[in-house]
């Protein structure tokens, strides 16, 4: 498979609800799409970087720069496949989201050429996956309860509440009381706490949570291991895990008993699969996180979430969780599940008109 | 890919040197080959079971019986791929070698259909692999030195000596003294010792061995962990590791700092890849063992041994190590290495005349 | 004691209730009996393998093949006793159920010759043993409650419920609520869960269970040790324990605080006694499991269950738990107990007519 | 102190010897300088990022983009000091080198305004620091010996050899043999090895090295801890330590017994001082690494290296190690030491003409 050219396409996806950032309120999700062109097929990859380096060090414009400047020039000259691409990127440190976008696009082209689906390639064991939803920090408990209720009405089978100091025990208690003990409920701290907050976090033990996600800073597994000993709620790591080595280290240290796998965060689907395999070998459950992906990124995540080790519902929400109109045929919940695409590659295609409408720039790099 | 039928073929490969067993001296290697037929391609798998259950509980006739009675009937009815086959076999306990033979044959057919090589599919990072050789227990030290010298003349880059109580320190010392400190040297105990022999095994610490393989019984990782603390020579596990879960447990316990991956022993190449990934994540080196495979089995092993975590030379010897004539074009050492087959699937074909000559029975199972 | 010949006899025991397998509903228990003939006495051994390798890797036809092909030829040539037989089998890996059947038959002949009972030989401390019963997965809770009620009416002193994902907390709660807090109640998962299910299994902590048996895969003690820390219910191992070394390892790792001893699973009564001794030394309670044995196998189990370390009631049910007619005089509960046979050897004899009725084949091997 | 504007200046410093990169041979060091202007004083900060993200994820153009896009807009609006700047940057993940450059420039302006030196502010305990030198990988041993000899002639008191697989034991042995046992000698692997290379690295134990720096990948402390147990040579971490939390974790895990502090790598001199304090508290020696700094960056490093915990000579070489002409008055070795600048702030000034000569672009950002 010879890559003849690559398109970097920026799109601005209007969000159904505004998204608060440090620069103010954003009403669109700025996304970088990578399209790999070969004589046999095209492949798509979606870069999950946000517009600012707040979740991790990557951001959309930076990822585009790294792709243009280092990763695309480093692509194997001859026959490219995802494994070869991954190896070619190894000398460059970090920039996992940029790498993942390009590697995924290559893998998509490769699988479309072979007529194989992402799910088939990765070893998906199911044809649909149960879906959870992530609920942001709200201005009030009543607003939160309304929102959660709405998601449950849509069929979501698991609720994740974002928490931060000042918004933790009270919202969790309110949701548990309103929606009962059978609700699958978990919380995500996005590294907003310190080990000094262990006492406060231990108060969450009373609410039978599935897990607490990334309570402490992303670069400190030793402190997470210390915290895990102080909590009954299982500790799940997200930002801390950027590779299979990180997963192995976290398990060895007891820093995590559950891992959230986001392929973009770990450099692509090959590494995501390796992390899955490491976790399964250790009996550590995994689930698939989300980064406000469009249908292109969502398709691959849903395929990944169908692997046997994904024993917890993921943040693989339907398209309308974030977008009124998706760039692909929308992913829609049926009985709280999303169907795993079965067609070649991602199994979804961008709808040309819709894609053009949201495109803010394109850049063609001839190889 | 619809499987239309399966052939179980027994062959008797004349050995270049007689092989001692409890029943006397064997002059042939009894091998079970599995041929999967689909409309698009055929695939081959070689069962590595020996004729008696001395290495593990499996043996050739038993494997054939399990294939016929349980595994072939359990094949997915519709489109079969290696992942689906692996899942379908999961309810049956043990019988990893039988499972591996059939799963490999399916994978070979699948990859030949897709035009992809085993190496490409698994993520091989090299186009040739360095080769070690395993040297059996000899009647005398001089005979051993002659044998080792002969293998070094052939270009082998690493020597493995089989050891047992009464044949350990002396032969290792003799080989080290004759061939010098730069020789890559390791030993394989095939579970012949007990923890009570730790003092004797510690005497091997003086000889700068790469590793000691499977010193204790295969089912006791706790004792291996205890032994590892008493030795400087790194402990490598072989028979003890039948799954990625076993590898994870061994690493967690400190029972092994190196792992020998034999795809037949672990149920196939998918599990072998998973074990590789677990070991890489933990920084544990792996290498590829051998089970007197013909060229068909050897081809897949050489592809596996080209993965990046295989940082130690394997027992991937040339065909003539065991056989005057191989059923495929012979694997031949060049500068101590074997080339990784690049063609679709295994990348090798049985030579019809040769295969027929050694065939002792065939059985066709229409699906 | 010179063995002059061995009979392999297959019998089909009609089951009182149909038994569900992957091949459909079985109405008979397919059993392999081994009869050892010496000039002085005959001895019987019952192979506990099932017809498919789903509980462990052994199955009836496979066990027969291994006996015929490897174990019988390996019998000591001269005077045979159980210890010598056990040593002679050691070079063959696995096949514990086949080994146990033959070793037991030899031991029976040896004890009958000496006029000593199994109980006397093993060190039984009681003349009767309390009996529990194992209750399969039912179609409904009411059906389960009826079944349990019936067993309690028969006098069983302990109830074991088989559980699997989807049939765990609800049936346990129902039984506990219906039959009260004094009922001795335990559950058996037969390896149907993963460490990812720890949260669900922890819900069983509320029901004051004696133990949870084999929750995870049989080959992972490290994960069982991790699970044991997350549960209040004591973890008992069954399939994981195939030798005294396994028992020692499990205890060392904290993978089990109770062990189910099945002589067939561990290779015979000598090894079963050794496991008992290791557990007593560590203060770990044991109990005797069952494998749908006929009266011949049951007799030896009841003798074993009379050893002092068997401080929990076993699955040593009465004959009518499974069979309308047993091949021996039936074992019948008296006040919830079975009497330990006191006669030489097993202390029971097959009833010729009944045995002939259920026999499907016999094979005589002259030695 | 109100910042009125910031200049981003790119300079191309001609190197005395060409520097090999993946893009070919570079003859200049591309440097980003940050100049902070306040009514009272100007301050300089040097960004140590390289032109490609091979040492870490940062690179010069990327750092400039992050400064322009996120860090400069995030500067505290009112009175700025280094502490406030550090806090303002905390919400942005990563980008430590970009942060360090701007924080250092602010600190320089702040200290010049206060008339206080970097050394005085940080707590320097000496007025000169002993200097080591880092020696790259050479084409041959004789060339290496010549180079080391030359540096020793210049007065360097400690030699650091860069190593990589294939260039490790031989060069170390040669240097040790030529220059004797009293030479302070250490090696730097820049993450070029894996845990699988432990055996090879252990061969360095024979040469009485001060330390081995960053043998394994930067993101795996657990594997460094495992390696440290296998080596006698103390393990020092460089790339792995990006914060005081990282240092604490490494010490807790036994992953490092010595730490190389590079202020650019850890986000600035405030964090560098904190790491020093943590290490002193734990009795862990530190030393100051280098990143081919000009005199501006070097000045601050020399001040830091004068702190009491810096008990090992740093890579604080003289200007002429890399540059024929420095942008400041050159740092020159006297008796193997560099003098700690005593004037306000950095204590050095760029020479206008020289700076202009090497400037490739400037960008003024009015605040």
């Amino acid at each position: 498979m010879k890559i003849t050219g690559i398109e970097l396409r920026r799109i601005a996806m209007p969000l159904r609800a505004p998204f608060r950032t440090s620069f103010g309120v954003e009403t669109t999700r700025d996304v970088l799409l990578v399209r790999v062109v070969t004589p046999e097929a095209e492949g798509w990859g979606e870069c999950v970087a946000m517009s600012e380096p707040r979740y991790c060090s990557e951001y959309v414009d930076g990822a585009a720069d790294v792709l243009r400047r280092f990763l695309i020039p480093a692509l194997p000259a001859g026959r490219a496949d995802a494994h070869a691409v991954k190896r070619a990127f190894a000398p460059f440190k970090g920039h996992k989201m940029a790498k993942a976008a390009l590697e995924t696009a290559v893998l998509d082209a490769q699988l479309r050429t072979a007529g194989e689906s992402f799910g088939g390639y990765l070893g998906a064991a199911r044809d649909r996956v149960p879906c959870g939803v992530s609920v942001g920090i709200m201005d009030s408990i009543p607003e939160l309860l309304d929102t959660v209720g709405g998601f449950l009405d849509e069929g979501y089978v698991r609720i994740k509440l974002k928490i931060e100091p000042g918004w933790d025990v009270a919202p969790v208690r309110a949701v548990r009381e309103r929606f009962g003990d059978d609700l699958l409920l978990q919380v995500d701290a996005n590294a907003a706490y310190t080990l000094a907050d262990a006492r406060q976090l231990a108060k969450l033990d009373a609410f039978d949570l599935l897990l607490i996600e990334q309570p402490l800073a992303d670069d400190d597994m030793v402190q997470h291991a210390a915290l895990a000993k102080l909590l009954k709620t299982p500790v799940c790591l997200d930002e801390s895990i950027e590779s299979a080595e990180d997963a192995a280290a976290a398990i060895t240290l007891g820093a995590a008993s559950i891992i959230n796998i986001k392929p973009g965060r770990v450099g692509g689907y090959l590494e995501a699969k390796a992390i899955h395999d490491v976790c399964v070998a250790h009996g550590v459950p995994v689930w698939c996180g989300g980064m406000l992906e469009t249908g292109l990124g969502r398709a691959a995540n849903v395929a990944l979430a169908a692997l046997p080790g994904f024993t917890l519902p993921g943040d693989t929400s339907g398209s309308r969780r974030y977008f009124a109109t998706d760039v692909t045929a929308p992913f829609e919940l049926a009985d709280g599940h999303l169907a795993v695409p079965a067609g070649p590659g991602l199994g979804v295609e961008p709808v040309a008109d819709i894609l053009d409408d949201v495109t803010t720039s394109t850049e063609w790099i001839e190889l």
Side-chain angles (χ1 to χ4, degrees), chain A residues 256-340:
Chain A
S257 53
I258 298 172
I259 285 176
N260 168 352
I261 300 182
K262 289 177 181 166
R265 196 192 66 219
V266 304
Y269 287 85
L270 297 183
E271 192 72 14
K273 172 69 158 68
I275 295 176
H276 166 271
D277 289 352
V278 169
C279 289
V280 167
H282 282 284
V284 167
V286 301
W287 55 282
C288 184
M291 295 287 288
L292 288 79
E293 286 92 350
T294 71
L296 290 168
R298 194 164 304 278
N301 280 356
V302 170
L304 181 73
L307 265 65
F310 284 76
T311 52
L312 290 168
D315 284 342
T316 44
S317 313
S319 294
R320 68 186 299 277
R321 167 70 183 87
Y322 297 108
F323 310 120
T325 308
D326 206 336
V327 295
T328 62
F331 279 84
E332 290 179 356
L333 259 68
D335 193 23
H337 289 67
L338 288 184
V340 178

Side-chain angles (χ1 to χ4, degrees), chain A residues 11 37 67 71 84 88 93 104 146 159 204 242 248 251 274 290 347 350-351:
Chain A
I11 63 175
V37 178
L67 279 162
L71 301 184
K93 301 288 175 66
T104 302
D146 283 355
I159 296 293
L204 295 171
E242 297 188 354
I251 293 167
V351 179

Side-chain angles (χ1 to χ4, degrees), chain A residues 52-59 97 218 239 242 265 291:
Chain A
E52 301 174 38
R54 289 171 181 271
Y55 169 82
C56 70
S57 66
E58 293 184 78
Y59 57 97
M97 291 173 173
D218 51 311
E239 290 93 320
E242 297 188 354
R265 196 192 66 219
M291 295 287 288

Side-chain angles (χ1 to χ4, degrees), chain A residues 195 198-199 201-202 205 223-233:
Chain A
L195 192 46
R199 194 167 164 278
L201 294 174
D205 285 347
Q223 292 193 24
H224 273 102
L227 179 64
K229 287 187 190 149
L230 302 172
L231 303 182
K232 283 187 199 152
T233 307

Side-chain angles (χ1 to χ4, degrees), chain A residues 109 123 185 216 298:
Chain A
L185 184 63
L216 309 181
R298 194 164 304 278

